[in-house]
Amino acid sequence: NARPVDSGLDEASADSPTRRAGGLIEQGDADGAVAVLRQAVAAGNAAWRLHYALGEALLAARRDEEAIAEFMAVHRLHPACGKACTAIGRIYLTRGLAEPARMWLRFGLDADESDHDSVSSLAVAELRLGNHEAAEKLLDAWVDAAPESAVRRFLRIAILGE
């Protein structure tokens, strides 16, 4: 389900690396998408959006450690990209590592206070750390502002551990 975002590189071109990678992921070839994006990075393109797309492709290929490295590269190149921090936090959260998840999710939330994924995932991390009051405050503010789909996603994470 992960799909690389546009890199900002030749977006009009149907053969831009992120568009080709997105097509490969839609066809179920996440490893092919990773290869396309790695080739673009190796060609000397250090655009943060390209690294973000590579991180998403690596997630789709279930290569979490490599994805974390790419999202960290995004964080170094463009600290205002809260989604990269959120992605790192969510990977740690799925591994049951609530403390590092909380740290990265806070970075993501600091970068974008309106990111519902950061808020809901941070609430889950706080719950897993036993910080029920902190989780409740986050959830109260989040439920008031969140779209219905985000509420459903949070419930799936909280209840099913997805």
Side-chain angles (χ1 to χ4, degrees), residues 4-148:
V5 296
D6 284 330
S7 68
L9 307 170
D10 195 16
E11 290 181 22
S13 172
D15 67 339
S16 72
T18 53
R19 289 183 191 269
R20 284 195 322 252
L24 289 168
I25 287 174
E26 286 176 1
Q27 296 170 13
D29 185 7
D31 289 325
V34 168
V36 165
L37 293 165
R38 283 217 192 272
Q39 183 178 18
V41 170
N45 192 328
W48 68 268
R49 286 187 177 99
L50 189 58
H51 285 280
Y52 186 88
L54 179 53
E56 288 288 312
L58 287 161
L59 280 179
R62 301 182 190 273
R63 293 160 59 181
D64 292 355
E65 285 302 318
E66 294 170 81
I68 289 171
E70 290 303 321
F71 291 130
M72 286 185 176
V74 172
H75 182 64
R76 281 190 305 275
L77 293 167
H78 187 63
C81 180
K83 292 220 176 274
C85 297
T86 299
I88 295 168
R90 289 178 66 193
I91 292 168
Y92 285 133
L93 195 59
T94 61
R95 292 179 172 183
L97 301 171
E99 190 61 48
R102 177 173 61 178
M103 179 188 78
W104 282 101
L105 292 164
R106 284 184 197 246
F107 288 158
L109 193 55
D110 288 345
D112 181 0
E113 293 178 2
S114 67
D115 182 3
H116 299 298
D117 284 341
S118 290
V119 176
S120 61
S121 296
L122 181 55
V124 171
E126 293 291 2
L127 284 172
R128 290 185 182 169
L129 290 166
N131 302 326
H132 298 277
E133 188 174 314
E136 184 177 359
K137 286 179 183 178
L138 285 164
L139 289 175
D140 284 344
W142 177 75
V143 167
D144 290 340
E148 184 179 328

